[in-house]
Amino acid sequence: DSGVTQTPKHLITATGQRVTLRCSPRSGDLSVYWYQQSLDQGLQFLIQYYNGEERAKGNILERFSAQQFPDLHSELNLSSLELGDSALYFCASSPAGQFSTDTQYFGPGTRLTVL
Amino acid sequence: DQQVKQNSPSLSVQEGRISILNCDYTNSMFDYFLWYKKYPAEGPTFLISISSIKDKNEDGRFTVFLNKSAKHLSLHIVPSQPGDSAVYFCAASDFGNEKLTFGTGTRLTIIP
């Protein structure tokens, strides 16, 4: 158990809908990262938040947005869903996120299926 | 543009033998490399890392080798055990940029 929790575990929805994925980082970790893993692909970095502020952005679509709240949990919002958004979405956290050598600890992921 | 490549999607190794997983990268700015292990229905778990100032790092049965001139790293597992059966991801980051760039993974199967 990494200490990172993600809810829900599974989500099935229809095209055009909007969903929210939730992540609680390990106790004391200030940085939260979101990654997407599509079928047979590596994990693709989406976005990072550090202590409530956006710190880095990757290949995140404009239809996707995220935020980190004062209690440090984070939400990833996916809107106008398309079939291609079906994937595993992982959240990770690290202590400070200020150094590339900080180990990132991953949650179990949310499997999103868009029908 | 796949900056981190794991060209072997799968690998089967006899229990007790050495498992060698390979990873190549193209971005010369990468200075920190990690291996993550992933079981089904779980998130990736950090295994071992290496900084670009080193060429080898060892932790128990796991050793990572880095060849900067070839932009290549490898993970050696000796001896391989059935519990090592998992998908292994190579990842890299560059200084001051905490995001990880992952390879597509290699599925390791240890045959009893």
Side-chain angles (χ1 to χ4, degrees), chain A:
Chain A
D1 184 357
S2 67
V4 178
T5 60
Q6 289 187 248
T7 56
K9 279 191 173 180
H10 303 276
L11 199 47
I12 301 174
T13 188
T15 55
Q17 295 297 305
R18 172 189 167 95
V19 297
T20 298
L21 312 183
R22 183 187 168 105
C23 168
S24 292
R26 295 186 323 152
S27 177
D29 283 359
L30 298 178
S31 263
V32 169
Y33 311 77
W34 287 97
Y35 292 86
Q36 178 194 55
Q37 185 186 18
S38 301
L39 191 64
D40 293 332
Q41 297 292 311
L43 285 75
Q44 301 290 323
F45 171 73
L46 295 177
I47 198 163
Q48 177 199 0
Y49 277 82
Y50 172 71
N51 204 20
E53 300 289 327
E54 182 185 303
R55 185 175 178 88
K57 225 170 184 176
N59 300 322
I60 187 166
L61 299 171
E62 283 192 14
R63 301 184 284 109
F64 296 1
S65 65
Q67 55 183 327
Q68 187 180 26
F69 294 86
D71 66 353
L72 299 177
H73 91 271
S74 177
E75 293 181 356
L76 179 67
N77 300 296
L78 315 176
S79 61
S80 304
L81 285 167
E82 301 175 359
L83 296 177
D85 297 328
S86 295
L88 269 169
Y89 291 84
F90 289 102
C91 166
S93 73
S94 69
Q98 295 177 8
F99 306 102
S100 59
T101 54
D102 273 353
T103 298
Q104 293 182 26
Y105 296 88
F106 283 79
T110 293
R111 181 174 292 282
L112 173 66
T113 302
V114 182
L115 301 176

Side-chain angles (χ1 to χ4, degrees), chain A residues 33 35 37 40-45 48 55-56 58 88 90 97-109, chain B residues 2 31-32 34 36 38 41-46 49 51 89 93-105:
Chain A
Y33 311 77
Y35 292 86
Q37 185 186 18
D40 293 332
Q41 297 292 311
L43 285 75
Q44 301 290 323
F45 171 73
Q48 177 199 0
R55 185 175 178 88
L88 269 169
F90 289 102
Q98 295 177 8
F99 306 102
S100 59
T101 54
D102 273 353
T103 298
Q104 293 182 26
Y105 296 88
F106 283 79
Chain B
Q2 192 71 27
D31 69 338
Y32 193 63
L34 309 90
Y36 278 83
K38 185 181 179 306
E42 294 183 13
T45 303
F46 170 74
S49 63
S51 163
F89 290 97
S93 65
D94 60 77
F95 182 76
N97 185 355
E98 298 79 32
K99 72 164 192 171
L100 294 176
T101 300
F102 281 84
T104 51

